[in-house]
Amino acid sequence: MALPRGLGLLLLLALGGPGAAITIPPEYGLHELLQPPELTEQPPEQLVVFPSDDVVLKCAATGNPPVQYRWTREDQPFIPGEHPGVTVAPGKGTLVINASLARRLQGRYRCFAANALGTALSLEARVIAENTPQWPKEKVMPVEVEEGDPVVLACDPPKSAVPPKIYWLNSRIVHIAQDARVSMGQDGFLYFANALAGDSHSDYICHAHYLGPRTIIQKEPLDLRVAPSNSVQSRRPRLVVPQNPQPPHVALRGGTLVLECIAEGLPTPVVRWQRLNGPLPRGRASLENFNKTLRLRAVEEADDGEYECVAENSQGQARHSHLVTVEAAPYWVRRPQSGVFGPGETARLDCLVEGKPRPRVAWRLNGVPIEEAPGAGRWAVREGALVLSRLEPNDTLVAQCEAHNRHGRLLANAFVYVVELPVKILTPDETLYTVVENQTVFLHCRAFGAPAPTVEWLTPGLEPALQDDRAFVFTNGTLRLGPAARGDGGPFTCRAHNAHSNASVVAHLDVKAATWIEVPPQSVTAKKGETVTFRCVAAFDPGLAPRGLEWRWDGRLLRETADSDKYSLTGDTLTVAGVDYADQGTFSCRAWTLLDAVEAEAQLRVVGRPGPVRDLQVLEVGERQVRLTWTPGDEHNSPVEKFVVEEEEGIFTPGRFVERLTVPGEQPWAPLTLSPYGRYRFRVLAANAYGRGEPSAPSAPISTPPAAPERNPGGVKGEGNETNNLVITWQPLAPGEWNAAEVRYRVQWRALEPALGRWREETVGGPPVVVGGTPTFSPYEIRVQAVNDAGKGPEPPIIVGYSGEDLPLVYPENVGVEILNSTSVRVRWSLAGGPRDLRGHLRGFRVLYWREGWVGERARRQAPPAPPGGHPRVLTVPGEASGVLLGGLRPWSRYRLQVVVFNGRGDGPPSDEIRFDTPEGVPGPPEELHVERVGETTLALEWKRPQHPNGILTGFLLQYRQVNQTEGGLPYEISFPAGTLNTTLGRLAPRGRYRFALRALTRLGPGPALLRQGSLLPEPVLPVLGSVVVGEVGEDFTVLHWTLAHPQANIEFEVQYMSKTTEEPWRTSGRANSSLGLYRLGDLRPGTSYRVQFVGRNHSGERVAFWESEVQTNGTLVPSPAGGFATEGWFIGFVSAVVLLLLLLLILCFIKRSKGGKYSVKDKEDTQVDSEARPMKDETFGEYSDGEEKASGSSGRSLGAAGAALGSDDSLAGYGGSADVQFNEDGSFIGQYSGARGTAAGSSGPASPSAAPPLD
């Protein structure tokens, strides 16, 4: 069978101290265990019955063996069988008394429930039998009063043990309306503070509702007659309830206290309450019945005191004090508890009761007063507790503790059950406990028996566990071991025994490595909007699973969500995107397993620009003086360095805030001085190390009245724009400086020469003021003053201006040139004449210079001198100067120059012309250098003279080295005479790459080098195609597609075609690029078959076909009309003759033009070529065409074409001796030299270095 209620609780085993009880656990497996009786139902303390009600006194209990019941009445045995009409409910002890016997058998009853282990006792129940209440017959007299008098209508219902509820209604069963004037008291009376004529009614009926008999009875109707009166007088309040004197009110702890004050008077009094010894209890005190009733719920002992009601109207007050004493029915402080004990133990039943007056406590054993119970020597009452010593198996009993005072009674049953039980360990055997090192582990050994067993633990080495200082055994048998070490693992043995038996179990301990964090997250300070990453690396015991790493922010678990990318968790990192100030806080990573967890924290601190300031206030402290104050906003973790005050002027610049001033960050205020005639608003923004924050809300506007201008305009100048006027200008005042709605300017001027003139003036709205009829460049005194409707500005300063200028009449003299080097000279001059001849302010000088050609060029070519016109270069020297350094000249050149002076009007006449020559310099780089592969080990080189020889060329220096050769090696050098412009280098490394540096030479040395690279690798000249297919075919076109056999450079080739049906030669359709992969062949005839071929050039320059096929167009061929004259032979011959004739004429014209632009060479020297490299012959390059030159990356001119110049005449005329040089307005060259660059194609001999002309 299941364990009885109260014995099936969990194990509570206390092994030390008197009175310790044991509770038999369900796991112990007892089936037939006896149980002392325990009451489950008891009769009420008071039962009121009426004639139609039976008396039912409930009594039920549990117990094993089954419980037997008996009753007492008035402390005497009551045997139901002796009273017909009295029965006991089957299976229970409930007593039922027939209603007819209720009045005769009323009294005090008590129930006893007993079995072999003891007797339980119920509370004492008082049975009261009452008749059905009835209102006694009475004669009701009318109640007659005058208007304004107080009225009390009595109710006085029949008395009952259960007071009825009172209602006042009229004959229509409508409640009598109640208010502050008319209300019902706690006694059921109806009170009128003052009667009104309208209160006259003959049907005031009092109803009493008795809940027990479920009966409502009513009193005879009361007739209230109120006589109207014309002499109603006001009167002060008088208390009708309570009536003095009144005993103190006794309130019971935990109950409800009701205090009442009902007053009469005219006008109707108002009632208020107060506590004289403290405030009314908050939350438990309430006012009812129009403040006439004070209700105090859940009374406490601290509610003792004096409560006063005050009734008042316009005539006075009435007071009454209620003295309240708080007492208490008995209540439990410590209630005795049932318990199971073993033989030899001591039982202690505590019974601690409080109450006021102090309750009397009495003990019973099995329902018998303890004084009369047997075995008095082994129990005693100490400090309200019953102590039973040296318990024996037959000492099982039920004890009763009963307490009472005048307010009530308490009763509690508690049994002492003495049993003998063998030892049994309830913890399962072979239990595994897993723990991590440095943790405390608890190994359980739940042992039960009676008497209580002793528990002992043994280590895996079978030694007492308590020998280890880290071990402790609790009273419930649990072994605590900690901190655990890795070597503590193994089987631990628990042994339990008492005087009758023993038992043991084994617990296995497994100690794992503790989880730890190897790399904790680091605190971060980030700017708002940045992305922050925290990293946390944890280490786990390999045998622990599951395990994981989680992140928290201020204790809240962070997870990734599909609708937000705020947090990203990847492996051991947490990424917080777009941090804001609200994201600040503590970010912690927690590495967890089922056995342990460790945490590490990092702080996120978000910094940024400060928040807007608040509470901006503007305080006027004087005339146009204000003081701004504000409350700083959030600093966002960076201290405010300064506050910026911005101002808006609403009249002239509405809507535009400008910075007015800044104040230090620790100063939340700023004084300001305002300008007249303004409407101002201000706003303030804070700035820290991260920038300026948002501005505050604008302040309320503040206006200032107009005033005279406080300053005059600046920038006053007097200058003429004509030779006979004076233009006076100034910088107008800003609108904020007008100090009025508008401003005007008073302009005054007078002449200084020849004598001081009188002031003349003009008032205008703005600049300029033009004064006409003035002498040229004459001084004037000028002043400008600001004026408005409120007055004039301060006295303006006088400035001196001049009337209009004219061109200077003087020119620089004693102009001289000092040669400094080949590109720079120093020019000196002096200025004669007086200031009047300048006719204006001296602005500076201009040096005008022309380049006329190379030194000695005219002598060699015997040309006439160049005309003095043309555009010079100009060097402007500002201010007063007597010389200047003129640089950027070209070496070995002829120059002429002049110097002019200029003023604001323009340039004066030029100085005398000076001519000079610049000395020789180093040449510029050669103009071109072409490198061509002509054999497996041979490269051909061709070059041009420098564009700027800067002297007489004496030769060329060629340096070269192999590209893959170490940089430290010396290059090969070859020198060439000035007339040599090509060479061939042999015996080079096959398939090698070379770097060339070519320099031109003059007597001053070599010039800068022209660098090129050449390669002996064979260059592809024909594309290698993989496949060619015919794509789309139309009536007059076809599209060819091809692929390359391997990646290769882009190569152009021709697409040719010819008809298979007519005799015609190959015709070229156009050129195709090999990298494009397609070509559209058009202008074909419909329905015609064609042969198509691709033509390119091989390494020898020959045109060869490298692909051929046939195509067929769609459609039908439309025959052409026969006999066209364009196909006749005579016509073709005629056209050919005309073309040859035109070609011959063009050749003659070209020869004539070439001869006409040259001068004869006076002296021609032949110089033997002294070179380490053999010169190339003209025919060497004859087989290379323009197409090959393009393929090799040259500038488009083939070596064969250049061969004509290799042995040129070298006359100066061939290189632009009659140069037509033009200049821009600023002196820069804009023209170029004309003339042929070479001689006849047949000339190939070496030229003399002394005769090599310079190139421009």
Side-chain angles (χ1 to χ4, degrees), residues 522-746:
Q522 302 297 315
S523 296
V524 177
T525 298
K527 292 182 181 179
K528 177 184 177 184
E530 291 183 344
T531 295
V532 173
T533 298
F534 295 99
R535 184 167 180 260
C536 180
V537 179
F540 302 91
D541 188 295
L544 290 178
R547 60 194 184 193
L549 185 72
E550 61 187 22
W551 290 88
R552 295 179 182 271
W553 170 56
D554 285 344
R556 181 169 63 88
L557 183 64
L558 297 180
R559 298 186 185 278
E560 289 183 338
T561 57
D563 58 347
S564 174
D565 56 356
K566 182 69 174 179
Y567 301 105
S568 176
L569 291 86
T570 305
D572 54 9
T573 61
L574 166 66
T575 301
V576 186
V579 297
D580 205 342
Y581 304 116
D583 296 324
Q584 297 182 118
T586 301
F587 284 81
S588 60
C589 72
R590 180 176 181 268
W592 62 269
T593 66
L594 293 179
L595 299 180
D596 68 338
V598 289
E599 290 189 9
E601 295 181 349
Q603 301 295 322
L604 173 60
R605 182 169 169 264
V606 182
V607 297
R609 297 180 296 174
V613 305
R614 307 183 303 275
D615 305 327
L616 177 61
Q617 302 291 331
V618 182
L619 177 66
E620 295 189 51
V621 296
E623 183 179 2
R624 293 191 283 121
Q625 302 287 326
V626 297
R627 178 185 174 95
L628 303 184
T629 61
W630 58 85
T631 301
D634 195 334
E635 293 185 348
H636 293 153
N637 297 313
S638 179
V640 174
E641 297 176 352
K642 63 180 179 180
F643 292 101
V644 180
V645 179
E646 294 183 338
E647 173 187 274
E648 176 209 42
E649 200 292 300
I651 297 178
F652 299 104
T653 57
R656 183 167 66 93
F657 282 86
V658 297
E659 183 175 329
R660 176 67 184 273
L661 82 162
T662 61
V663 296
E666 63 273 6
Q667 176 182 320
W669 56 271
L672 292 176
T673 300
L674 306 182
S675 299
Y677 192 67
R679 185 168 61 250
Y680 299 94
R681 291 195 307 164
F682 304 94
R683 65 185 187 187
V684 179
L685 52 88
N688 60 13
Y690 298 95
R692 296 185 176 185
E694 294 296 323
S696 65
S699 67
I702 184 170
S703 300
T704 55
E710 297 176 346
R711 61 185 299 268
N712 290 311
V716 178
K717 294 190 298 184
E719 296 178 345
N721 55 13
E722 299 291 344
T723 59
N724 60 350
N725 73 357
L726 172 67
V727 180
I728 302 173
T729 60
W730 60 91
Q731 295 177 357
L733 295 178
E737 299 173 327
W738 293 359
N739 294 351
E742 63 178 12
V743 71
R744 298 179 300 280
Y745 301 94
R746 180 188 180 204

Side-chain angles (χ1 to χ4, degrees), residues 192-274:
F192 293 75
N194 49 78
L196 301 178
D199 294 333
S200 296
H201 293 290
S202 60
D203 55 353
Y204 286 90
I205 305 173
C206 175
H207 291 72
H209 180 197
Y210 293 87
L211 299 179
R214 298 176 294 278
T215 299
I216 298 177
I217 59 175
Q218 66 180 39
K219 188 175 182 176
E220 292 294 327
L222 298 179
D223 184 6
L224 175 60
R225 301 174 183 176
V226 181
S229 174
N230 293 327
S231 59
V232 177
Q233 295 182 353
S234 299
R235 63 184 181 278
R236 64 183 300 165
R238 179 180 66 86
L239 289 175
V240 180
V241 177
Q243 299 287 341
N244 288 324
Q246 187 181 30
H249 294 269
V250 176
L252 292 182
R253 174 184 176 273
T256 299
L257 171 67
V258 178
L259 303 178
E260 187 176 36
C261 280
I262 299 177
E264 59 88 5
L266 189 65
T268 301
V270 175
V271 179
R272 58 184 174 86
W273 291 84
Q274 60 185 357

Side-chain angles (χ1 to χ4, degrees), residues 378 512 651 999:
R378 290 191 297 111
K512 301 288 188 181
I651 297 178
R999 291 178 171 85

Side-chain angles (χ1 to χ4, degrees), residues 99 185 270 400 441 554 657 761 821 828 857 930 985 1118 1232:
V270 175
Q400 291 84 31
V441 62
D554 285 344
F657 282 86
E761 71 176 49
N821 52 44
R828 292 186 173 89
E857 189 176 32
H930 299 288
L985 301 179
V1118 179
Q1232 67 182 29

Side-chain angles (χ1 to χ4, degrees), residues 29-221:
L30 289 179
H31 299 288
E32 295 295 334
L33 186 66
L34 302 180
Q35 179 196 359
E38 283 188 286
L39 288 173
T40 57
E41 287 185 313
Q42 298 189 59
E45 291 191 52
Q46 177 176 293
L47 179 62
V48 180
V49 295
F50 294 90
S52 60
D53 298 332
D54 290 338
V55 177
V56 179
L57 300 176
K58 292 184 178 182
C59 184
T62 61
N64 186 25
V67 177
Q68 302 296 323
Y69 301 93
R70 60 186 175 88
W71 287 86
T72 63
R73 175 174 176 271
E74 300 296 340
D75 298 327
Q76 298 297 320
F78 180 75
I79 301 174
E82 297 178 355
H83 302 276
V86 178
T87 59
V88 177
K92 291 185 178 182
T94 300
L95 186 67
V96 180
I97 301 174
N98 189 274
S100 61
L101 303 175
R103 177 170 291 276
R104 181 168 63 84
L105 295 179
Q106 61 183 343
R108 295 180 292 111
Y109 287 83
R110 192 188 292 270
C111 176
F112 294 79
N115 66 7
L117 300 182
T119 302
L121 187 65
S122 74
L123 287 169
E124 187 176 73
R126 177 176 294 275
V127 177
I128 301 174
E130 292 186 354
N131 293 325
T132 301
Q134 292 183 349
W135 225 297
K137 295 295 183 179
E138 59 180 340
K139 184 178 181 182
V140 179
M141 301 298 295
V143 180
E144 297 180 351
V145 296
E146 289 189 358
E147 186 177 2
D149 291 345
V151 179
V152 178
L153 300 181
C155 183
D156 290 328
K159 301 298 182 183
S160 174
V162 181
K165 290 187 176 181
I166 306 299
Y167 306 95
W168 282 89
L169 294 86
N170 58 20
S171 58
R172 298 184 302 277
I173 316 178
V174 176
H175 286 273
I176 303 298
Q178 300 185 26
D179 52 22
R181 184 180 65 87
V182 181
S183 63
M184 184 181 73
Q186 294 295 316
D187 56 5
F189 290 13
L190 192 61
Y191 295 90
F192 293 75
N194 49 78
L196 301 178
D199 294 333
S200 296
H201 293 290
S202 60
D203 55 353
Y204 286 90
I205 305 173
C206 175
H207 291 72
H209 180 197
Y210 293 87
L211 299 179
R214 298 176 294 278
T215 299
I216 298 177
I217 59 175
Q218 66 180 39
K219 188 175 182 176
E220 292 294 327

